[in-house]
Structures are given as C-alpha cells and as structure tokens.
Amino acid sequence: MTSGNKAIRKGAAAAVLGALLLAATACEQSGADVSGHSKTSEQPSATDSPKTGETASPKPNEASAKRSGDSAKPGGGSGNAGGDAGKGDTAAVAACAVTDLAFSATDEDEKGKPVRHLLLTVTNTGNKKCNLYEYPYLRFPYARAPIAVIKDSKDAPAALAPGEKAYAALLATGGHMDTYDTNTIPLSLQGPNPGSKPSDPANVSLPGQVSFDDGARVTYWITAPGPALRFIMSS
C-alpha cells in the first residue's frame, strides 16, 4: 500500500470518528435540555404535608376566618357575654297596701234616683308598682257576712304602676232584707291566696246616704270601669 493511500484512510477514519463524537455530544445536550425542562415544570403541591418539625402556614382565607372568629370573642369569652344580663333583676311585685292607695266611690244611677249602682275606684298613690288581688272585701259592722262577689267577673290580679287605677262595681240592694243605711263603707284588701286574712279596712266615703241589703254584690278588681259596670247595670 502506498503512503498516499494510507494517508487517505487515516483522514477518512478521523472524519468518521469526529462525526461520531459530534453525534454523541448532541445527544447528551438534548438529554440535558429535556431533563432541565422537566425540572422547571415541576411545582410544589398545595396539599403537600410540611416536613417533620415544620408548621404549615394558614392560607390567607383561613387566617382571615381565624382572626374574624377571635374578634367575636373578646378576652377569650364564650361569645354570649351579657346573655344572662337582667335575670333576677325584676323583684316580685308586692301586694298593694291600703296606705299606698286612694279610694273613691261614685254614683252610676240617673240623677234623682236612689243610689244602687256604685263604682269603686282605687289609685296607686305610692312610688312602686303593686298588685290588687281578688275583690274588695266589704263587711259592715255586725253584718253576718261580707258582701258577696259576682263570680263571673273574675279577672287576673290588677297590677298598678304609680298613678294607675283599678275598679270594682258595687250593687247596693237586691234582696230587701237586713237593710243597712250608711254614708261610708269599710273596704279591705285581700292577699294573693283566696281566704287569707284581709287588711285593716279603709273607710270609703259614699255619694250620700246609701241603703244596703243582703242582695248587695261586688265585682272583682278590673282595670277598666266599663267592663266592671256591665256586671251590675242590668240589675
């Protein structure tokens, strides 16, 4: 083989080797590019758990909700502060006392006729609310029994604030026996329990001389005069 041919073969081999080296280098670069692209496309998951020893930070909306919940409980309270306020502040209303009331009696008959239909009125002249119970306890001296009540007129106890009034209608005659003529009537107050001992009486002035008999009747205390009078005006 001539020296010229040897030189040609060596040049050709060198060219092939160089081409192979270039191809290998290109493949490595291409692989590196693909791997790099894969790495840059990866993002941490929103649900990834924190590493051991780390505390996850709350999301913005969770932190806001937490702050909102904390502000609803100032001082670490339960959120219903003041919910029980006022309980026990209202004391029980006491029964009215004779000394806290003003009494009057008016004639409800036509002018010139004998007085038979009367309206008893009480006014709370005290400075506290009080209750009137049952009906006026009316019993004349030496009478065998107090004036009977009209049972159909029963109403709830009359609660009187200062200045307020309550009424009871009184029918003076109806039986024509055991007549008693007077210009005053003793009126006692009753307690919340029926049959309890009545108070000491207040002597209520009547509109002139009035004849009472065993047919006399009185209503329960009522907070309006009209409903009270309806129980006696037809008699």
Side-chain angles (χ1 to χ4, degrees):
M1 184 179 292
T2 64
S3 59
N5 289 335
K6 290 179 179 180
I8 290 171
R9 289 192 190 97
K10 290 180 179 180
V16 170
L17 180 61
L20 290 173
L21 291 174
L22 288 173
T25 302
C27 289
E28 289 177 359
Q29 290 177 346
S30 175
D33 291 343
V34 172
S35 175
H37 176 74
S38 175
K39 289 180 180 180
T40 56
S41 66
E42 291 178 356
Q43 299 293 333
S45 172
T47 59
D48 285 348
S49 301
K51 295 179 180 179
T52 304
E54 294 181 349
T55 302
S57 299
K59 297 178 183 179
N61 60 339
E62 293 175 344
S64 175
K66 184 177 180 181
R67 287 194 298 271
S68 175
D70 291 344
S71 64
K73 301 178 182 180
S78 63
N80 65 343
D84 294 332
K87 288 186 178 180
D89 292 344
T90 303
V93 178
C96 295
V98 170
T99 54
D100 292 330
L101 302 174
F103 302 83
S104 65
T106 54
D107 179 7
E108 299 299 319
D109 291 296
E110 294 181 11
K111 189 176 180 179
K113 288 189 175 182
V115 179
R116 291 186 63 240
H117 303 90
L118 297 154
L119 182 66
L120 302 175
T121 303
V122 294
T123 304
N124 183 356
T125 56
N127 56 11
K128 294 181 180 179
K129 189 174 185 178
C130 65
N131 283 341
L132 276 178
Y133 294 99
E134 298 294 310
Y135 53 91
Y137 185 89
L138 308 170
R139 185 169 186 172
F140 294 110
Y142 310 112
R144 289 178 294 179
I147 292 177
V149 67
I150 301 173
K151 294 182 179 179
D152 290 344
S153 66
K154 187 173 179 60
D155 202 356
L160 300 183
E164 290 186 337
K165 302 176 184 294
Y167 308 87
L170 174 59
L171 179 66
T173 60
H176 305 292
M177 292 179 63
D178 296 332
T179 301
Y180 187 88
D181 297 329
T182 181
N183 58 7
T184 63
I185 188 169
L187 190 158
S188 297
L189 303 177
Q190 300 191 66
N193 300 317
S196 60
K197 183 180 179 181
S199 69
D200 291 335
N203 287 317
V204 180
S205 297
L206 299 174
Q209 192 82 354
V210 180
S211 293
F212 289 84
D213 61 27
D214 60 352
R217 297 289 185 270
V218 68
T219 68
Y220 284 84
W221 292 114
I222 300 174
T223 54
L229 289 169
R230 280 202 296 268
F231 287 99
I232 67 168
M233 294 309 293
S234 61
S235 300

